[in-house]
mmCIF file of all heavy atoms in Angstrom:
data_model
loop_
_atom_site.group_PDB
_atom_site.id
_atom_site.type_symbol
_atom_site.label_atom_id
_atom_site.label_comp_id
_atom_site.label_asym_id
_atom_site.label_seq_id
_atom_site.Cartn_x
_atom_site.Cartn_y
_atom_site.Cartn_z
ATOM 1 N N GLN C 1238 -9.633 -7.630 -4.942
ATOM 2 C CA GLN C 1238 -10.843 -6.871 -4.629
ATOM 3 C C GLN C 1238 -10.384 -5.641 -3.866
ATOM 4 O O GLN C 1238 -9.820 -5.756 -2.766
ATOM 5 C CB GLN C 1238 -11.823 -7.684 -3.790
ATOM 6 C CG GLN C 1238 -13.077 -6.908 -3.438
ATOM 7 C CD GLN C 1238 -14.005 -7.701 -2.543
ATOM 8 O OE1 GLN C 1238 -13.801 -8.869 -2.275
ATOM 9 N NE2 GLN C 1238 -15.026 -7.045 -2.056
ATOM 10 N N VAL C 1239 -10.583 -4.460 -4.445
ATOM 11 C CA VAL C 1239 -10.169 -3.219 -3.809
ATOM 12 C C VAL C 1239 -11.183 -2.859 -2.729
ATOM 13 O O VAL C 1239 -12.375 -2.753 -2.994
ATOM 14 C CB VAL C 1239 -10.040 -2.072 -4.833
ATOM 15 C CG1 VAL C 1239 -9.712 -0.758 -4.146
ATOM 16 C CG2 VAL C 1239 -8.989 -2.419 -5.883
ATOM 17 N N VAL C 1240 -10.682 -2.685 -1.499
ATOM 18 C CA VAL C 1240 -11.521 -2.318 -0.359
ATOM 19 C C VAL C 1240 -11.504 -0.810 -0.148
ATOM 20 O O VAL C 1240 -12.510 -0.209 0.164
ATOM 21 C CB VAL C 1240 -11.018 -3.007 0.933
ATOM 22 C CG1 VAL C 1240 -11.834 -2.605 2.134
ATOM 23 C CG2 VAL C 1240 -10.998 -4.496 0.771
ATOM 24 N N GLU C 1241 -10.326 -0.221 -0.315
ATOM 25 C CA GLU C 1241 -10.147 1.217 -0.123
ATOM 26 C C GLU C 1241 -9.298 1.732 -1.279
ATOM 27 O O GLU C 1241 -8.144 1.338 -1.431
ATOM 28 C CB GLU C 1241 -9.460 1.479 1.210
ATOM 29 C CG GLU C 1241 -9.243 2.925 1.553
ATOM 30 C CD GLU C 1241 -10.516 3.643 1.986
ATOM 31 O OE1 GLU C 1241 -11.424 2.980 2.514
ATOM 32 O OE2 GLU C 1241 -10.598 4.860 1.769
ATOM 33 N N PRO C 1242 -9.844 2.641 -2.113
ATOM 34 C CA PRO C 1242 -9.077 3.136 -3.260
ATOM 35 C C PRO C 1242 -8.061 4.207 -2.849
ATOM 36 O O PRO C 1242 -8.085 4.729 -1.735
ATOM 37 C CB PRO C 1242 -10.159 3.739 -4.160
ATOM 38 C CG PRO C 1242 -11.218 4.180 -3.209
ATOM 39 C CD PRO C 1242 -11.197 3.172 -2.084
ATOM 40 N N PHE C 1243 -7.191 4.555 -3.783
ATOM 41 C CA PHE C 1243 -6.234 5.631 -3.604
ATOM 42 C C PHE C 1243 -6.987 6.946 -3.495
ATOM 43 O O PHE C 1243 -7.936 7.185 -4.242
ATOM 44 C CB PHE C 1243 -5.293 5.659 -4.812
ATOM 45 C CG PHE C 1243 -4.271 6.756 -4.772
ATOM 46 C CD1 PHE C 1243 -3.083 6.592 -4.079
ATOM 47 C CD2 PHE C 1243 -4.489 7.951 -5.440
ATOM 48 C CE1 PHE C 1243 -2.125 7.591 -4.051
ATOM 49 C CE2 PHE C 1243 -3.535 8.957 -5.422
ATOM 50 C CZ PHE C 1243 -2.352 8.781 -4.719
ATOM 51 N N ALA C 1244 -6.577 7.809 -2.567
ATOM 52 C CA ALA C 1244 -7.151 9.150 -2.434
ATOM 53 C C ALA C 1244 -5.990 10.113 -2.237
ATOM 54 O O ALA C 1244 -5.389 10.154 -1.154
ATOM 55 C CB ALA C 1244 -8.120 9.221 -1.269
ATOM 56 N N ALA C 1245 -5.651 10.852 -3.283
ATOM 57 C CA ALA C 1245 -4.508 11.763 -3.231
ATOM 58 C C ALA C 1245 -4.755 12.876 -2.224
ATOM 59 O O ALA C 1245 -5.847 13.452 -2.177
ATOM 60 C CB ALA C 1245 -4.260 12.364 -4.610
ATOM 61 N N PRO C 1246 -3.752 13.185 -1.407
ATOM 62 C CA PRO C 1246 -3.887 14.309 -0.477
ATOM 63 C C PRO C 1246 -3.803 15.633 -1.240
ATOM 64 O O PRO C 1246 -3.202 15.702 -2.312
ATOM 65 C CB PRO C 1246 -2.692 14.137 0.465
ATOM 66 C CG PRO C 1246 -1.691 13.376 -0.325
ATOM 67 C CD PRO C 1246 -2.474 12.495 -1.266
ATOM 68 N N ALA C 1247 -4.383 16.680 -0.665
ATOM 69 C CA ALA C 1247 -4.350 17.996 -1.300
ATOM 70 C C ALA C 1247 -2.940 18.588 -1.285
ATOM 71 O O ALA C 1247 -2.573 19.367 -2.153
ATOM 72 C CB ALA C 1247 -5.318 18.946 -0.596
ATOM 73 N N HIS C 1248 -2.140 18.194 -0.291
ATOM 74 C CA HIS C 1248 -0.752 18.639 -0.195
ATOM 75 C C HIS C 1248 0.048 17.542 0.511
ATOM 76 O O HIS C 1248 -0.520 16.566 0.997
ATOM 77 C CB HIS C 1248 -0.631 19.984 0.537
ATOM 78 C CG HIS C 1248 -1.283 19.995 1.883
ATOM 79 N ND1 HIS C 1248 -0.683 19.487 3.020
ATOM 80 C CD2 HIS C 1248 -2.509 20.428 2.275
ATOM 81 C CE1 HIS C 1248 -1.491 19.625 4.046
ATOM 82 N NE2 HIS C 1248 -2.608 20.185 3.621
ATOM 83 N N ALA C 1249 1.356 17.686 0.563
ATOM 84 C CA ALA C 1249 2.249 16.628 1.058
ATOM 85 C C ALA C 1249 1.876 16.099 2.439
ATOM 86 O O ALA C 1249 2.074 14.922 2.729
ATOM 87 C CB ALA C 1249 3.694 17.124 1.063
ATOM 88 N N TYR C 1250 1.343 16.947 3.308
ATOM 89 C CA TYR C 1250 1.025 16.516 4.676
ATOM 90 C C TYR C 1250 -0.473 16.412 4.925
ATOM 91 O O TYR C 1250 -0.910 16.249 6.050
ATOM 92 C CB TYR C 1250 1.669 17.480 5.679
ATOM 93 C CG TYR C 1250 3.165 17.551 5.494
ATOM 94 C CD1 TYR C 1250 3.745 18.646 4.856
ATOM 95 C CD2 TYR C 1250 3.978 16.505 5.897
ATOM 96 C CE1 TYR C 1250 5.124 18.699 4.652
ATOM 97 C CE2 TYR C 1250 5.354 16.545 5.688
ATOM 98 C CZ TYR C 1250 5.915 17.648 5.074
ATOM 99 O OH TYR C 1250 7.269 17.689 4.856
ATOM 100 N N GLY C 1251 -1.260 16.507 3.862
ATOM 101 C CA GLY C 1251 -2.714 16.467 3.994
ATOM 102 C C GLY C 1251 -3.242 15.052 4.142
ATOM 103 O O GLY C 1251 -2.549 14.067 3.885
ATOM 104 N N PRO C 1252 -4.508 14.939 4.562
ATOM 105 C CA PRO C 1252 -5.118 13.615 4.683
ATOM 106 C C PRO C 1252 -5.340 12.998 3.306
ATOM 107 O O PRO C 1252 -5.526 13.702 2.319
ATOM 108 C CB PRO C 1252 -6.448 13.898 5.387
ATOM 109 C CG PRO C 1252 -6.750 15.325 5.069
ATOM 110 C CD PRO C 1252 -5.424 16.012 4.924
ATOM 111 N N GLY C 1253 -5.315 11.697 3.265
ATOM 112 C CA GLY C 1253 -5.535 10.961 2.027
ATOM 113 C C GLY C 1253 -5.247 9.501 2.263
ATOM 114 O O GLY C 1253 -4.940 9.090 3.383
ATOM 115 N N HIS C 1254 -5.359 8.724 1.230
ATOM 116 C CA HIS C 1254 -5.024 7.298 1.309
ATOM 117 C C HIS C 1254 -4.002 7.036 0.225
ATOM 118 O O HIS C 1254 -4.328 6.994 -0.961
ATOM 119 C CB HIS C 1254 -6.273 6.430 1.128
ATOM 120 C CG HIS C 1254 -6.000 4.992 1.395
ATOM 121 N ND1 HIS C 1254 -6.133 4.031 0.438
ATOM 122 C CD2 HIS C 1254 -5.584 4.351 2.513
ATOM 123 C CE1 HIS C 1254 -5.816 2.849 0.954
ATOM 124 N NE2 HIS C 1254 -5.470 3.025 2.208
ATOM 125 N N ARG C 1255 -2.755 6.853 0.627
ATOM 126 C CA ARG C 1255 -1.619 6.805 -0.283
ATOM 127 C C ARG C 1255 -1.338 5.384 -0.759
ATOM 128 O O ARG C 1255 -0.241 4.864 -0.591
ATOM 129 C CB ARG C 1255 -0.418 7.428 0.399
ATOM 130 C CG ARG C 1255 -0.604 8.926 0.633
ATOM 131 C CD ARG C 1255 0.348 9.433 1.701
ATOM 132 N NE ARG C 1255 0.305 10.872 1.840
ATOM 133 C CZ ARG C 1255 -0.546 11.538 2.606
ATOM 134 N NH1 ARG C 1255 -1.464 10.881 3.300
ATOM 135 N NH2 ARG C 1255 -0.502 12.845 2.682
ATOM 136 N N GLY C 1256 -2.317 4.778 -1.364
ATOM 137 C CA GLY C 1256 -2.211 3.419 -1.887
ATOM 138 C C GLY C 1256 -3.601 2.843 -2.061
ATOM 139 O O GLY C 1256 -4.597 3.572 -1.996
ATOM 140 N N VAL C 1257 -3.674 1.546 -2.296
ATOM 141 C CA VAL C 1257 -4.952 0.850 -2.347
ATOM 142 C C VAL C 1257 -4.905 -0.294 -1.344
ATOM 143 O O VAL C 1257 -3.852 -0.884 -1.115
ATOM 144 C CB VAL C 1257 -5.292 0.307 -3.765
ATOM 145 C CG1 VAL C 1257 -5.516 1.438 -4.740
ATOM 146 C CG2 VAL C 1257 -4.240 -0.636 -4.287
ATOM 147 N N ASP C 1258 -6.043 -0.571 -0.735
ATOM 148 C CA ASP C 1258 -6.158 -1.703 0.180
ATOM 149 C C ASP C 1258 -6.910 -2.811 -0.537
ATOM 150 O O ASP C 1258 -7.961 -2.571 -1.141
ATOM 151 C CB ASP C 1258 -6.899 -1.306 1.454
ATOM 152 C CG ASP C 1258 -6.087 -0.353 2.331
ATOM 153 O OD1 ASP C 1258 -4.886 -0.179 2.057
ATOM 154 O OD2 ASP C 1258 -6.660 0.203 3.277
ATOM 155 N N LEU C 1259 -6.346 -4.010 -0.473
ATOM 156 C CA LEU C 1259 -6.878 -5.162 -1.197
ATOM 157 C C LEU C 1259 -7.300 -6.261 -0.243
ATOM 158 O O LEU C 1259 -6.568 -6.571 0.701
ATOM 159 C CB LEU C 1259 -5.800 -5.721 -2.135
ATOM 160 C CG LEU C 1259 -5.160 -4.743 -3.111
ATOM 161 C CD1 LEU C 1259 -3.948 -5.381 -3.776
ATOM 162 C CD2 LEU C 1259 -6.174 -4.295 -4.141
ATOM 163 N N VAL C 1260 -8.474 -6.869 -0.496
ATOM 164 C CA VAL C 1260 -8.867 -8.056 0.252
ATOM 165 C C VAL C 1260 -7.816 -9.113 -0.021
ATOM 166 O O VAL C 1260 -7.323 -9.254 -1.141
ATOM 167 C CB VAL C 1260 -10.258 -8.562 -0.194
ATOM 168 C CG1 VAL C 1260 -10.541 -9.937 0.385
ATOM 169 C CG2 VAL C 1260 -11.337 -7.586 0.232
ATOM 170 N N TRP C 1261 -7.487 -9.853 1.018
ATOM 171 C CA TRP C 1261 -6.376 -10.785 0.930
ATOM 172 C C TRP C 1261 -6.822 -12.122 1.465
ATOM 173 O O TRP C 1261 -7.241 -12.244 2.616
ATOM 174 C CB TRP C 1261 -5.257 -10.210 1.757
ATOM 175 C CG TRP C 1261 -3.942 -10.833 1.665
ATOM 176 C CD1 TRP C 1261 -3.551 -11.884 0.904
ATOM 177 C CD2 TRP C 1261 -2.803 -10.421 2.394
ATOM 178 N NE1 TRP C 1261 -2.231 -12.147 1.108
ATOM 179 C CE2 TRP C 1261 -1.749 -11.244 2.031
ATOM 180 C CE3 TRP C 1261 -2.571 -9.428 3.328
ATOM 181 C CZ2 TRP C 1261 -0.481 -11.125 2.559
ATOM 182 C CZ3 TRP C 1261 -1.316 -9.299 3.849
ATOM 183 C CH2 TRP C 1261 -0.284 -10.142 3.462
ATOM 184 N N ASP C 1262 -6.725 -13.157 0.649
ATOM 185 C CA ASP C 1262 -7.194 -14.489 1.044
ATOM 186 C C ASP C 1262 -6.157 -15.261 1.849
ATOM 187 O O ASP C 1262 -6.320 -16.438 2.122
ATOM 188 C CB ASP C 1262 -7.613 -15.295 -0.185
ATOM 189 C CG ASP C 1262 -6.461 -15.547 -1.151
ATOM 190 O OD1 ASP C 1262 -5.303 -15.220 -0.824
ATOM 191 O OD2 ASP C 1262 -6.731 -16.067 -2.239
ATOM 192 N N GLY C 1263 -5.079 -14.590 2.257
ATOM 193 C CA GLY C 1263 -4.046 -15.248 3.048
ATOM 194 C C GLY C 1263 -2.960 -15.898 2.220
ATOM 195 O O GLY C 1263 -2.015 -16.445 2.764
ATOM 196 N N GLY C 1264 -3.070 -15.823 0.894
ATOM 197 C CA GLY C 1264 -2.035 -16.394 0.033
ATOM 198 C C GLY C 1264 -0.772 -15.554 0.057
ATOM 199 O O GLY C 1264 -0.659 -14.577 0.788
ATOM 200 N N ALA C 1265 0.173 -15.937 -0.755
ATOM 201 C CA ALA C 1265 1.458 -15.248 -0.824
ATOM 202 C C ALA C 1265 1.301 -13.829 -1.359
ATOM 203 O O ALA C 1265 0.400 -13.534 -2.134
ATOM 204 C CB ALA C 1265 2.407 -16.032 -1.723
ATOM 205 N N VAL C 1266 2.222 -12.953 -0.934
ATOM 206 C CA VAL C 1266 2.324 -11.606 -1.487
ATOM 207 C C VAL C 1266 3.482 -11.649 -2.476
ATOM 208 O O VAL C 1266 4.574 -12.110 -2.150
ATOM 209 C CB VAL C 1266 2.618 -10.570 -0.384
ATOM 210 C CG1 VAL C 1266 2.742 -9.179 -0.986
ATOM 211 C CG2 VAL C 1266 1.533 -10.598 0.665
ATOM 212 N N ARG C 1267 3.222 -11.179 -3.688
ATOM 213 C CA ARG C 1267 4.203 -11.281 -4.767
ATOM 214 C C ARG C 1267 4.705 -9.899 -5.181
ATOM 215 O O ARG C 1267 3.987 -8.914 -5.055
ATOM 216 C CB ARG C 1267 3.580 -11.990 -5.960
ATOM 217 C CG ARG C 1267 3.137 -13.405 -5.620
ATOM 218 C CD ARG C 1267 2.463 -14.097 -6.797
ATOM 219 N NE ARG C 1267 1.988 -15.412 -6.427
ATOM 220 C CZ ARG C 1267 2.742 -16.499 -6.327
ATOM 221 N NH1 ARG C 1267 4.030 -16.421 -6.585
ATOM 222 N NH2 ARG C 1267 2.224 -17.653 -5.975
ATOM 223 N N ALA C 1268 5.920 -9.860 -5.672
ATOM 224 C CA ALA C 1268 6.474 -8.610 -6.208
ATOM 225 C C ALA C 1268 5.642 -8.213 -7.421
ATOM 226 O O ALA C 1268 5.439 -9.024 -8.326
ATOM 227 C CB ALA C 1268 7.934 -8.807 -6.602
ATOM 228 N N PRO C 1269 5.151 -6.966 -7.471
ATOM 229 C CA PRO C 1269 4.356 -6.546 -8.623
ATOM 230 C C PRO C 1269 5.198 -6.345 -9.880
ATOM 231 O O PRO C 1269 4.672 -6.343 -10.978
ATOM 232 C CB PRO C 1269 3.730 -5.242 -8.169
ATOM 233 C CG PRO C 1269 4.617 -4.738 -7.087
ATOM 234 C CD PRO C 1269 5.223 -5.940 -6.446
ATOM 235 N N SER C 1270 6.515 -6.209 -9.697
ATOM 236 C CA SER C 1270 7.443 -6.040 -10.803
ATOM 237 C C SER C 1270 8.841 -6.337 -10.265
ATOM 238 O O SER C 1270 9.035 -6.423 -9.049
ATOM 239 C CB SER C 1270 7.368 -4.605 -11.337
ATOM 240 O OG SER C 1270 8.242 -4.432 -12.433
ATOM 241 N N GLY C 1271 9.796 -6.483 -11.154
ATOM 242 C CA GLY C 1271 11.155 -6.758 -10.729
ATOM 243 C C GLY C 1271 11.774 -5.593 -9.978
ATOM 244 O O GLY C 1271 11.396 -4.439 -10.170
ATOM 245 N N GLY C 1272 12.723 -5.909 -9.101
ATOM 246 C CA GLY C 1272 13.410 -4.869 -8.360
ATOM 247 C C GLY C 1272 14.302 -5.453 -7.282
ATOM 248 O O GLY C 1272 14.640 -6.638 -7.316
ATOM 249 N N ILE C 1273 14.648 -4.614 -6.328
ATOM 250 C CA ILE C 1273 15.503 -5.005 -5.214
ATOM 251 C C ILE C 1273 14.790 -4.703 -3.907
ATOM 252 O O ILE C 1273 14.234 -3.607 -3.739
ATOM 253 C CB ILE C 1273 16.847 -4.243 -5.265
ATOM 254 C CG1 ILE C 1273 17.592 -4.586 -6.557
ATOM 255 C CG2 ILE C 1273 17.706 -4.546 -4.048
ATOM 256 C CD1 ILE C 1273 18.823 -3.747 -6.802
ATOM 257 N N ILE C 1274 14.796 -5.667 -2.983
ATOM 258 C CA ILE C 1274 14.206 -5.454 -1.660
ATOM 259 C C ILE C 1274 15.109 -4.472 -0.916
ATOM 260 O O ILE C 1274 16.280 -4.755 -0.684
ATOM 261 C CB ILE C 1274 14.093 -6.776 -0.862
ATOM 262 C CG1 ILE C 1274 13.289 -7.823 -1.626
ATOM 263 C CG2 ILE C 1274 13.516 -6.505 0.527
ATOM 264 C CD1 ILE C 1274 11.829 -7.534 -1.795
ATOM 265 N N VAL C 1275 14.567 -3.301 -0.568
ATOM 266 C CA VAL C 1275 15.365 -2.304 0.139
ATOM 267 C C VAL C 1275 14.993 -2.207 1.612
ATOM 268 O O VAL C 1275 15.731 -1.619 2.394
ATOM 269 C CB VAL C 1275 15.288 -0.914 -0.536
ATOM 270 C CG1 VAL C 1275 15.963 -0.950 -1.902
ATOM 271 C CG2 VAL C 1275 13.865 -0.422 -0.644
ATOM 272 N N PHE C 1276 13.839 -2.788 1.988
ATOM 273 C CA PHE C 1276 13.460 -2.862 3.398
ATOM 274 C C PHE C 1276 12.553 -4.058 3.592
ATOM 275 O O PHE C 1276 11.668 -4.319 2.771
ATOM 276 C CB PHE C 1276 12.742 -1.587 3.859
ATOM 277 C CG PHE C 1276 12.420 -1.619 5.323
ATOM 278 C CD1 PHE C 1276 13.390 -1.282 6.259
ATOM 279 C CD2 PHE C 1276 11.176 -2.026 5.770
ATOM 280 C CE1 PHE C 1276 13.111 -1.347 7.620
ATOM 281 C CE2 PHE C 1276 10.887 -2.095 7.125
ATOM 282 C CZ PHE C 1276 11.868 -1.751 8.052
ATOM 283 N N ALA C 1277 12.762 -4.778 4.685
ATOM 284 C CA ALA C 1277 11.911 -5.912 5.045
ATOM 285 C C ALA C 1277 11.977 -6.052 6.554
ATOM 286 O O ALA C 1277 12.967 -6.540 7.089
ATOM 287 C CB ALA C 1277 12.389 -7.190 4.355
ATOM 288 N N GLY C 1278 10.952 -5.561 7.229
ATOM 289 C CA GLY C 1278 10.959 -5.636 8.684
ATOM 290 C C GLY C 1278 9.812 -4.863 9.296
ATOM 291 O O GLY C 1278 8.914 -4.402 8.596
ATOM 292 N N PRO C 1279 9.849 -4.710 10.624
ATOM 293 C CA PRO C 1279 8.748 -4.042 11.314
ATOM 294 C C PRO C 1279 8.859 -2.511 11.275
ATOM 295 O O PRO C 1279 9.950 -1.960 11.328
ATOM 296 C CB PRO C 1279 8.889 -4.547 12.753
ATOM 297 C CG PRO C 1279 10.349 -4.856 12.901
ATOM 298 C CD PRO C 1279 10.808 -5.303 11.548
ATOM 299 N N VAL C 1280 7.703 -1.865 11.172
ATOM 300 C CA VAL C 1280 7.572 -0.416 11.290
ATOM 301 C C VAL C 1280 6.310 -0.167 12.106
ATOM 302 O O VAL C 1280 5.221 -0.561 11.687
ATOM 303 C CB VAL C 1280 7.445 0.277 9.908
ATOM 304 C CG1 VAL C 1280 7.162 1.771 10.084
ATOM 305 C CG2 VAL C 1280 8.687 0.068 9.072
ATOM 306 N N ALA C 1281 6.469 0.444 13.256
ATOM 307 C CA ALA C 1281 5.330 0.795 14.115
ATOM 308 C C ALA C 1281 4.406 -0.395 14.355
ATOM 309 O O ALA C 1281 3.180 -0.274 14.270
ATOM 310 C CB ALA C 1281 4.562 1.970 13.523
#
């Protein structure tokens, strides 16, 4: 369930929403496609 849709900024540093926010029932978070984990940890 999308709570907040993507909103492209007018320029690289402009306001916007750079992704989608999804309601989350507390279940597992899964990789949307194959790849390599390049970061896993705290940010701010």
Side-chain angles (χ1 to χ4, degrees):
Q1238 179 183 353
V1239 176
V1240 178
E1241 182 75 28
F1243 178 84
H1248 54 81
Y1250 302 103
H1254 188 243
R1255 293 161 173 86
V1257 294
D1258 291 349
L1259 306 169
V1260 169
W1261 190 1
D1262 62 7
V1266 179
R1267 299 178 183 281
S1270 181
I1273 298 172
I1274 303 292
V1275 293
F1276 183 82
V1280 174

